[in-house]
Amino acid sequence: MTRPARNAKLKSARMAAGYHTQQAFAEALGVGVRQVRRWESDNPPWPHPDLQQRLTHLTGQDMEALGFTIPPGRDHPAAQRHYAAVAPPRSAGSHLPAVPSQSTAPMQPASVATDYANVTRSHRSMYWSVAPATLHPAVIAHADLGCALLPETAGQTRRDVAAALAETWLLAGRIEFFDLREPDDAGATLLRALQAAGEADDSLMGSAILAHTAFIPGWAGEHETAAERMVAARTYARRGPASAEFLAWLDAVEAECETRCGNTRTALHLIRHAEDALAAGSEHLTPVWMDWFNPVRLAAFKGHTQLKAGHLPQARATLLNALDRMSATEDKQRTVIYGDLAAVEAAAGQPEEACRYACLALDQLQTTWYATGLDRIREVRRALAPHHHDQCVRDLDDRLYGWATTVSALAR
C-alpha cells in the first residue's frame, strides 16, 4: 500500500486542485519536488511569504486549512485572506508579491532600499568566511524580508529593493549548490532570484543567475539543458552591457559544464577565449556583486579542465601558478585547487604526493567548510583505490574519516 501523506490536508487540497503528483504541484509553484515533500511531511516548515500566496492561490485555501502551523508572531490566516482579497493578482508563474493598495500596507521611504542593500552587501562579504550552515538561514531570512518589503515600495525604490533581493536569492542559491550540495533547492531558489532580477529589470544580474542555473544540469552531465541555459545567460549579458570580466566568467562557466559533460576540447577553447577577453579588456565595469571571479579563478577552471583532459604536466603547472597567485581570503577556492593537485598526482601515479595535497585540502576545510572541496577529495580517494594498502592512503583515510570531518559531511 502507498504510504499516506502525513500532511493529509495539503495532499487533499493539492489533489482537489488537479495536481495529482508532487512533481506537478512543484512545477506549478516553481519549487523543487523535495520542498513539496517537506510540506507534506509530519511537521511541514512554514513557507516563505512569497510562496504562501501562491499556495493559497493554487488550492483556494488558507495556510491553516493546508495543514501548516503558524509560527509565533506570524500573521493570522484572516489577515492573509484579507491580503489575497485586496491585492492585485500577479502575473502567471510569478513568485514575487504584487504591489498592494495603499489601504493594505504602508509605503516605505526610499531609504529602505539602501538599508536593505547594505545587509545584502554584508552577507556577500561574509560568504567567504562564515560557515554556510550559519550564514544560509540569515540569508533566507533576509530574502523573506525583501519579499515582505516589495509590496510596500514603488517606482525606483521597488526596483532597488528587487535588485538587492535578486542578489540575496542568488547568494542563497550559491550556498545551496556549492556549499551544501543541495541542487534541487538551489534550482528553486535561483528561479526566485531570476524573478526578482526581472522585477528590477537588471539584465546582468539575470545573466549571472541563468549561468548559475546552468551549473546544475552541467554537473549532472545534462549537456543540452546546460547549453540552453548558457544561451539564455549570454542573451541577457548582451543587454547589459557586460564587462570583459563578466564575459570571461560566462566562458568559464560554460567550460566547466562542457568539462563535466566530457567535452574537454570545447572547454579548453572556451577558456582560451576567456583569457583573450580578459587580456583585451573593455570599457564596461564589472558589477560590484560579481566577487566570485578573477584571472586566478579562471586559471583554476583551466587547471581542472586540463586535468580532466589528461594533460597532467600542464594541469600541474597551471594549478600551482594559480595557488601562488591566490589572495589570503580565497580559502574555498584554495581547497578546490589542493583537491585538483591531488587528483593530478593520483593520475600521475604519485600516491604520496596526492595524499599530501588531499591532506592540505582537509586542513583548509577545517577552517572554511566547502562541500565542493570535499567532493574533490573524495574523487581523489576513489582514484587512489589501487593504493589502499599504502601507509599514506591509510593516513589520508584517518583524516578523511575522522570524527569532525565525518560528522560535518553527514550533517550537510
Side-chain angles (χ1 to χ4, degrees), residues 46-102:
W46 186 248
H48 298 301
D50 56 328
L51 280 174
Q52 292 175 33
Q53 188 183 5
R54 190 64 176 156
L55 280 163
T56 57
H57 174 73
L58 290 181
T59 62
Q61 300 187 43
D62 61 40
M63 299 302 292
E64 199 170 48
L66 294 175
F68 293 94
T69 301
I70 304 168
R74 301 282 183 160
D75 290 340
H76 190 272
Q80 298 169 6
R81 287 193 293 271
H82 174 70
Y83 176 82
V86 299
R90 295 170 295 168
S91 59
S94 174
H95 305 301
L96 296 174
V99 180
S101 66
Q102 288 283 356

Side-chain angles (χ1 to χ4, degrees), residues 127-139:
Y127 171 75
W128 302 108
S129 60
V130 177
T134 300
L135 182 59
H136 185 256
V139 174

Side-chain angles (χ1 to χ4, degrees), residues 251 265 267-277 302:
D251 284 336
R265 180 176 296 181
L268 288 170
H269 175 75
L270 285 162
I271 289 172
R272 284 194 295 273
H273 188 268
E275 291 172 332
D276 291 343
K302 181 177 182 178

Side-chain angles (χ1 to χ4, degrees), residues 219 260 304 307-308 339-340 342-343 346 372-385 400:
W219 283 38
R260 297 267 175 176
H304 180 67
L307 163 64
K308 294 301 182 181
D340 281 346
T372 301
L374 182 61
D375 287 346
R376 293 287 215 271
I377 301 169
R378 286 172 168 165
E379 289 176 12
V380 170
R381 179 58 185 89
R382 287 191 288 270
L384 290 171
L400 184 58

Side-chain angles (χ1 to χ4, degrees), residues 92-339:
S94 174
H95 305 301
L96 296 174
V99 180
S101 66
Q102 288 283 356
S103 62
T104 62
M107 297 303 289
Q108 296 290 338
S111 60
V112 76
T114 301
D115 295 337
Y116 186 77
N118 284 339
V119 178
T120 299
R121 189 178 308 111
S122 296
H123 286 161
R124 181 202 314 155
S125 177
M126 286 189 281
Y127 171 75
W128 302 108
S129 60
V130 177
T134 300
L135 182 59
H136 185 256
V139 174
I140 292 295
H142 188 53
D144 285 349
L145 174 61
C147 289
L149 289 175
L150 272 185
E152 301 176 8
T153 57
Q156 187 60 48
T157 301
R158 180 177 172 88
R159 288 191 291 274
D160 290 344
V161 171
L165 176 59
E167 182 186 341
T168 296
W169 281 128
L170 174 57
L171 177 58
R174 284 171 54 79
I175 295 172
E176 288 163 358
F177 184 75
F178 293 111
D179 298 76
L180 302 178
R181 299 304 297 128
E182 296 177 350
D184 289 344
D185 289 350
T189 299
L190 291 172
L191 174 59
R192 289 164 145 178
L194 187 61
Q195 291 166 335
E199 187 74 32
D201 195 22
D202 189 333
S203 296
L204 284 183
M205 176 61 75
S207 175
I209 294 163
L210 284 163
H212 276 87
T213 69
F215 276 125
I216 300 174
W219 283 38
E222 299 169 2
H223 182 266
E224 184 175 346
T225 302
E228 289 175 350
R229 293 179 180 182
M230 285 308 305
V231 169
R234 292 185 185 281
T235 300
Y236 276 72
R238 287 196 296 270
R239 302 168 184 163
S243 67
E245 188 175 44
F246 191 94
L247 294 174
W249 173 69
L250 291 181
D251 284 336
V253 173
E254 189 167 0
E256 175 78 4
C257 294
E258 293 288 351
T259 299
R260 297 267 175 176
C261 293
N263 304 319
T264 54
R265 180 176 296 181
T266 301
L268 288 170
H269 175 75
L270 285 162
I271 289 172
R272 284 194 295 273
H273 188 268
E275 291 172 332
D276 291 343
L278 286 180
S282 74
E283 62 182 7
H284 305 302
L285 297 177
T286 300
V288 294
W289 42 258
M290 203 189 89
D291 62 347
W292 58 73
F293 184 75
N294 54 39
V296 175
R297 300 294 180 90
L298 178 60
F301 276 106
K302 181 177 182 178
H304 180 67
T305 298
Q306 290 172 326
L307 163 64
K308 294 301 182 181
H311 304 165
L312 301 184
Q314 296 92 327
R316 183 186 293 112
T318 300
L319 292 167
L320 286 172
N321 180 261
L323 195 62
D324 288 341
R325 294 161 57 200
M326 293 190 74
S327 70
T329 61
E330 296 183 277
D331 290 343
K332 293 182 178 182
Q333 190 62 43
R334 187 173 291 105
T335 301
V336 171
I337 292 179
Y338 280 143

